[in-house]
Structures are given as structure tokens and as C-alpha cells.
Amino acid sequence: MSKSHSTSVGVKLVLIGVLVAVLMVPLLLVRVVISEREGRLKEAVNEIGSTWGGAQTVAAPVLVVPWRERVIENGKVNVHQRWFAALPEKVEITGEVVPEVRKRGLFEVVVYRAKLRVSGQFRPPAGLAGVWDEARFGEAHLAFGVSDLRGLGGRPKLELAEETLDVDAAGVVEPLTGLLGQPLAAKLPDAESMLADASATLPFSLELDVGGSGQLRFVPLGADTAATIESPWPDPSFQGAFLPAERTVSKDGFDAAWRVSGFARAYPQEIRDLVSRQDLTYAVSQSAFGVDLMPELSAYRIVERCTKYGLLFVLLTFTAFFLFELLGGLRVHPMQYLMVGFALVLFFLLLLAFAEHVGFLAAYGVATLATVGLIGVYGAAVLKTRQRTMLLVGELVALYGILYVLVQLETFALLVGAVVLFFALGGVMWLTREVDWYSVGKQPAQEVAGAV
């Protein structure tokens, strides 16, 4: 083989490498488009949430008693306002979450109405005895949290010791905002006598009608917290610090039950001074648990996962064309490589565009048929024979079939992908096992030329 011909094969390999690098630019642009469309989806979620209610976190009632601390400072007695908080001994949450799909243009957002009953009991807090003489029982109140008050449907009904309390947002102390999100409160009538008996039991119940979007969380404020939720939504994603102890998920919906002990949280049952406990906000937020009423992977996330295999698609398809050149005596121009590469990249843009209208599965079928058809017709003119064209189309169909399986898998995606690459490399090595790379291009390898 002449030196010039050996050089031309080397130059072809370098050109193919350059073309692959060039095609990374449109692949990155497709990912930018995916991020932009996903951002539009988030805007639609926020827009609907601003009128319906956003992600909701519900916190059970907390008993709050203001008290005054007298401190000697610079020879003077100064009085500081403090707040004593006692969490419930027991909390039980039951309810039904009814989902509804709302649309904003092309985007679908899952909203819900949750009819909840939060019940339980308090014990008069032992720590209150240490500040009893300074307590301001006339300002004592129960406070509970709903993170987005726009979602409230009607006035919550709150009872303590079988007495109905008037719920109001006025007069809620600032430290509770950090603890409960957006708290509502009800003053306690005759709190001093109610809390004087240390052996007394103070049962409470709270009925809420809450609208929200996306997710619903609960804060386990009880020394023992139990929650039981049912819903007709068939695709829940259980999230937060605690997973359900029991759950059933089917096409007709789900039901889930949580059991959380106060020992599993990072905050106490009694808090002598809310102001001095700045760590409470983080600890409480980290202890929340609940459910997301949305698919674990949106169409945008699945398409984004597909694009991560874009480089592999280009490399394997270009390898097929190079093997046709190497073993079949063809001459494929770099511009023809580039055209095929652009068709491969366009697959991901087609997939994204159709997925917004017809869903991922149908979009994947349409984009695959369009791309394989386009490259097949173009390849027929480049490869010259029907046999070679069918080999190319077969490779593309196999690649897109494997890609669909990979994006549906999570736990085994890496394993399957690694095995596929191993066999792909093995196939290339088998086809070129008898190629004399020093004399490549001088004449087609006779042993394998008939196969390609």
C-alpha cells in the first residue's frame, strides 16, 4: 500500500473524530432547549400554585404560653418576652387526597384537594412549672401550620377538650413562623386552670380542607405520630425523612400509613424559649414526610436522559459507515457523515417536540421511525446495495430499542449499558480480526467483504 493511501485512511479517522466533536455542539443546544422547556413547566406550576396553592406542609397544633423573663443587666432588672412551646403527646392524621390535572398551554400540572383530620392529645407540660409565676395565660394559644394559606378551603375547625376555638391569623408570634411556616392560632380560654392539673389529658382535633400542587408533607410533631392517607392517584412518590410503614399502590390509587416516634426527630417535646432555638426551623423542615403527586420522571427528564446517549449513537453509527468503507471498498465523504450525524441529533429534538403533545412513548415511536427512515433512505444512496442498507437500518433499530430500555431502567441502566457496549466492541473486533491494518485500503478484505 502506498504511503499516501495509508495517510488518507488516517486522515479519514481524524476527520470522523472532528465531526463527532462538531456534532456535540447541536447536542448541547438540544439540552439547552430541554432545560428551557422544563423551566417553562416550572413557571406553569408556579402560576397555578399562586392561585390554587403550592406545595403544602401541614403541622399539628402546638401549645404556646408567653412568659416574661426578668434579667439583671447593668444593675437593672430588665424584662424580656419569651415563649414556651409544648408539642403534642400524640398525633394522628387521616385524610383523602383528591388529585386533578390542570393545563397551562402545553403543560400539565397536578393539583389536589386534601381533606384532613388531625387529632391527638396534649399533657400539661412539666417544664411550664419552672416559669409558671411569669406565664401570661391570658395570651396562651394553640398554633398549627399550613405552608401556603392560599390553599385553604374554608375556615379550619379546631377543638380542644371538646371546646371549639376561633382560628385566626392575627397575633401569631414571629418565632412560630419559623417553626410552623405560615401558622394560624386560636386563643385558649381559661388556660391557667386547664393546665394546672398535671395529670389532665387535653384532646384536640383539627379539620382542614387544603388545596395544593405537586407535593403534600406532614411534620411529625407528636411524641408519637401516625398518618394514614389514601388517594386515587396511581403514581405516588413517597418522599421526606420517613417512608410509609405500610403502603399499597395500584392503578386505582394508593394508600399509605406512616408511624414516626419522637425519638427519631432532632427537636424536643418542650421548648422553653422559642427565640433562643434558631436551629428549630431547619430541624423541623428536615423531619417532614409525605408524598409527591407527580410522575417520578417527567417527559423532560426522560428526554434529557436520552440525550446523554447521543454521543454513543453518533460513534456507533459512524463506526458502521467506516466499516463499510474499510471492508466493502466504499468511499463515504465527510459531508455524508455530517448529514447522518445531524439526522441523529435531530432525533432528540423531534422526541422533545412530540413528547409535549402526545406523551413520551408515542413521541419515541414517531421520532424513531422518522430518523431511521431518513437515514435509511439516505444510506441506500450512499451504501449502494440493499444488503448494506438493511444492515444499517437493523443497527439503528437495535440502538433505538436498547435506548428505550435504558431510559426506562434506573437500577440496572449502567449494567445494561456496559454489557451492550461490550458486545458492540466485540462485534467490531470480530469483523476486523483479520484486517491487516498496515495494508488497509490497498484492497478490501476478501474474507469479510461479502458480508458488507
Side-chain angles (χ1 to χ4, degrees):
M1 182 184 69
S2 68
K3 182 178 180 180
S4 62
H5 194 87
S6 297
T7 303
S8 68
V9 173
V11 170
K12 175 59 71 69
L13 288 172
V14 171
L15 284 175
I16 291 174
V18 171
L19 292 177
V20 171
V22 168
L23 289 171
M24 291 302 99
V25 175
L27 269 175
L28 289 175
L29 291 177
V30 170
R31 300 192 69 175
V32 170
V33 174
I34 294 172
S35 297
E36 186 269 335
R37 301 301 290 180
E38 193 169 17
R40 293 276 301 277
L41 173 60
K42 292 178 180 178
E43 290 177 5
V45 171
N46 293 334
E47 181 184 345
I48 293 176
S50 67
T51 55
W52 180 271
Q56 293 285 16
T57 300
V58 176
V62 175
L63 176 62
V64 181
V65 180
W67 61 286
R68 291 176 177 175
E69 182 181 28
R70 302 178 188 275
V71 181
I72 298 177
E73 298 173 336
N74 299 323
K76 295 182 179 181
V77 178
N78 294 322
V79 179
H80 298 282
Q81 179 71 50
R82 300 288 186 251
W83 289 271
F84 183 95
L87 307 187
E89 180 182 53
K90 182 180 180 181
V91 174
E92 184 173 353
I93 304 167
T94 58
E96 181 182 13
V97 181
V98 180
E100 182 180 340
V101 177
R102 295 291 181 93
K103 298 195 71 172
R104 281 292 185 273
L106 294 173
F107 306 108
E108 293 185 348
V109 179
V110 180
V111 299
Y112 62 82
R113 290 225 69 88
K115 296 193 179 293
L116 304 172
R117 188 175 190 274
V118 184
S119 59
Q121 66 183 35
F122 287 95
R123 292 275 186 185
L128 189 58
V131 297
W132 189 273
D133 293 337
E134 298 296 335
R136 302 169 65 180
F137 291 104
E139 300 176 22
H141 56 273
L142 280 185
F144 61 92
V146 177
S147 60
D148 192 343
L149 297 179
R150 294 170 300 181
L152 280 180
R155 197 178 190 86
K157 182 181 179 182
L158 177 61
E159 294 182 353
L160 180 67
E162 299 183 353
E163 184 170 349
T164 302
L165 306 180
D166 292 328
V167 176
D168 198 351
V172 175
V173 295
E174 179 62 29
L176 282 175
T177 303
L179 184 65
L180 301 179
Q182 293 192 30
L184 296 170
K187 287 189 175 182
L188 297 182
D190 199 16
E192 185 172 5
S193 61
M194 184 180 292
L195 299 174
D197 184 1
S199 63
T201 298
L202 303 175
F204 69 86
S205 67
L206 170 65
E207 294 183 6
L208 289 170
D209 182 357
V210 180
S213 55
Q215 66 183 34
L216 177 63
R217 297 284 187 273
F218 303 102
V219 179
L221 294 182
D224 290 299
T225 300
T228 304
I229 301 297
E230 60 180 27
S231 172
W233 184 253
D235 192 17
S237 176
F238 300 106
Q239 301 290 337
F242 306 97
L243 294 177
E246 302 172 8
R247 63 181 179 181
T248 302
V249 180
S250 69
K251 63 180 181 179
D252 298 320
F254 75 90
D255 57 78
W258 291 260
R259 303 286 184 270
V260 182
S261 169
F263 294 111
R265 310 168 326 201
Y267 46 92
Q269 283 298 113
E270 296 183 8
I271 305 162
R272 182 173 174 133
D273 182 12
L274 285 174
V275 175
S276 65
R277 292 299 302 271
Q278 300 299 322
D279 59 323
L280 282 175
T281 301
Y282 177 78
V284 169
S285 66
Q286 290 300 300
S287 69
F289 63 89
V291 62
D292 289 358
L293 300 185
M294 58 180 64
E296 196 161 325
L297 282 177
S298 69
Y300 297 109
R301 293 293 177 86
I302 301 178
V303 175
E304 183 184 20
R305 285 178 61 180
C306 288
T307 61
K308 294 178 181 179
Y309 297 93
L311 175 61
L312 179 62
F313 268 52
V314 173
L315 284 174
L316 291 178
T317 306
F318 280 11
T319 298
F321 274 93
F322 182 73
L323 288 175
F324 286 131
E325 284 197 78
L326 178 67
L327 305 176
L330 288 176
R331 299 280 289 174
V332 182
H333 194 274
M335 183 57 68
Q336 293 171 317
Y337 277 97
L338 189 62
M339 292 290 185
V340 172
F342 279 133
L344 293 170
V345 173
L346 189 58
F347 163 81
F348 300 104
L349 192 60
L350 286 172
L351 178 60
L352 173 63
F354 279 100
E356 291 186 333
H357 294 271
V358 297
F360 177 77
L361 178 59
Y364 195 90
V366 171
T368 299
L369 287 175
T371 305
V372 173
L374 177 62
I375 295 177
V377 171
Y378 186 73
V382 175
L383 301 178
K384 308 300 184 184
T385 70
R386 182 176 180 179
Q387 184 181 19
R388 293 166 182 165
T389 303
M390 294 305 296
L391 284 173
L392 175 64
V393 169
E395 181 209 19
L396 291 173
V397 171
L399 282 177
Y400 285 113
I402 292 169
L403 175 62
Y404 183 80
V405 172
L406 286 175
V407 297
Q408 299 302 315
L409 297 174
E410 291 188 21
T411 306
F412 299 102
L414 179 60
L415 175 61
V416 173
V419 171
V420 169
L421 283 177
F422 176 83
F423 281 104
L425 177 60
V428 174
M429 293 173 69
W430 176 264
L431 288 174
T432 59
R433 68 191 184 282
E434 296 182 7
V435 172
D436 182 357
W437 291 97
Y438 286 103
S439 61
V440 66
K442 193 171 187 179
Q443 60 182 6
Q446 300 298 327
E447 295 85 352
V448 294
V452 295

